[in-house]
């Protein structure tokens, strides 16, 4: 049975990714229009405004593809109750003011739901990788900036 808070977290992550995608699409459109604008036509060999705008539009197009894939991955993410940390898990660590949602995309996005501060972690991050397959009560050791940091897993949903 899906966990209601995790369904809400998943939807909030999707909403955030969609907002970012919309912003990037608008920026891409502006860059494309700048690249083809008649005022961007080079007047000398050193005038590169149109070329720069075209490169920018290309970069935005790649980011649009990445965000579209991220939305698809998160859309298909299972939020079933779990005892071990895996994709779709919501994890509380001792001494942390934030809970972590393990997701295939959207790492770094933070939001608050029902008075719970949530940060999205990818399983490729050092802490995300260290968390995988652990359960409540386990101790996790992560090396950050050449220092070992120890966390205790309080809860896994």
């Amino acid at each position: 049975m899906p966990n209601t808070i995790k369904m809400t977290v998943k939807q909030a992550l999707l909403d955030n990714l969609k907002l970012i995608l919309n912003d990037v699409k608008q920026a891409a459109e502006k860059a494309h229009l700048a690249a083809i604008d008649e005022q961007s036509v080079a007047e000398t060999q050193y005038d590169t405004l149109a070329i720069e705008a075209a490169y920018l539009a290309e970069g935005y197009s790649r980011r649009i593809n990445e965000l579209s894939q991220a939305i698809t991955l998160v859309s298909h993410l299972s939020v079933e109750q779990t005892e071990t940390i895996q994709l779709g898990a919501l994890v509380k660590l001792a001494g942390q003011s934030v809970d972590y949602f393990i997701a295939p995309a959207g790492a770094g996005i933070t939001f608050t739901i029902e008075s719970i501060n949530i940060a999205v972690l990818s399983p490729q991050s050092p802490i995300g990788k260290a968390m995988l397959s652990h359960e409540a009560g386990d101790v996790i050791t992560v090396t950050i900036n050449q220092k070992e940091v120890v966390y205790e897993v309080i809860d896994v949903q």
Side-chain angles (χ1 to χ4, degrees), residues 105-125:
I109 293 175
T110 60
F111 41 84
T112 302
I113 295 176
E114 296 180 18
S115 302
I116 302 169
N117 296 321
I118 298 168
V120 179
L121 275 181
S122 80
Q124 291 81 24
S125 69

Side-chain angles (χ1 to χ4, degrees), residues 15-64:
D15 292 346
N16 272 271
L17 289 170
K18 289 175 183 176
L19 284 172
I20 294 167
L21 177 61
N22 188 50
D23 290 347
V24 172
K25 282 182 177 179
Q26 290 177 10
E29 180 65 23
K30 288 178 185 175
H32 175 73
L33 290 173
I36 61 172
D37 189 276
E38 64 183 50
Q39 292 182 353
S40 296
V41 174
E43 294 177 11
T44 70
Q45 67 187 38
Y46 303 107
D47 192 356
T48 61
L49 186 60
I51 294 169
E52 292 168 8
Y55 280 125
L56 189 58
E58 181 183 341
Y60 282 133
S61 293
R62 275 188 252 141
R63 183 70 177 131
I64 288 168

Side-chain angles (χ1 to χ4, degrees), residues 63 76 87 96 106 153:
R63 183 70 177 131
H76 293 97
L87 281 176
Q96 299 294 302
V153 180

Side-chain angles (χ1 to χ4, degrees), residues 80-93:
E80 298 292 321
Q81 181 65 38
T82 180
E83 292 185 19
T84 61
I85 300 173
Q86 59 191 355
L87 281 176
L90 186 60
V91 183
K92 181 161 194 61
L93 300 177

